[in-house]
Amino acid sequence: MKNRYWFFKKLYKDYVIILDDKGIKKSLYYDKLLMKYINNKDINYIIIYNDFDFKKVSYKVNNYRRYLIIEFLIYLIKM
């Protein structure tokens, strides 16, 4: 699972990579924190299914880096 994640992460750096395992959506590392922003429809993401089929969703405005900075600031405040 981690191999697929890292393969797609190297190709699509500013995308949230989501692994779909039999209907259960998971992610790894800091993309796990960014999954809650997908419903805002301003962050690009890729859903990878078990058989390496994938669905790529792109929006005109990608706030990936903005949400990443917000999550790290929240993490620092909570420390």
Side-chain angles (χ1 to χ4, degrees):
M1 185 184 324
K2 286 184 182 180
N3 291 337
R4 285 187 280 168
Y5 175 83
W6 285 114
F7 174 76
F8 280 97
K9 195 61 174 177
K10 295 234 184 230
L11 291 177
Y12 303 102
K13 295 182 191 299
D14 290 340
Y15 283 73
V16 176
I17 308 297
I18 301 170
L19 303 168
D20 187 352
D21 186 26
K22 299 177 184 172
I24 300 170
K25 293 184 177 16
K26 303 177 189 174
S27 191
L28 301 172
Y29 307 110
Y30 49 85
D31 282 347
K32 186 185 302 185
L33 300 172
L34 299 177
M35 282 181 59
K36 61 184 169 188
Y37 296 110
I38 289 175
N39 294 331
N40 294 349
K41 296 184 179 179
D42 61 350
I43 187 168
N44 298 342
Y45 63 94
I46 296 177
I47 299 176
I48 305 169
Y49 301 100
N50 281 339
D51 51 357
F52 265 97
D53 286 338
F54 67 94
K55 177 183 169 188
K56 178 179 166 186
V57 178
S58 299
Y59 296 105
K60 194 171 188 177
V61 177
N62 185 15
N63 289 326
Y64 179 85
R65 293 176 190 256
R66 178 177 175 240
Y67 291 139
L68 189 63
I69 291 169
I70 289 171
E71 284 298 319
F72 281 130
L73 289 174
I74 290 171
Y75 175 75
L76 288 174
I77 290 171
K78 287 182 180 179
M79 287 181 76

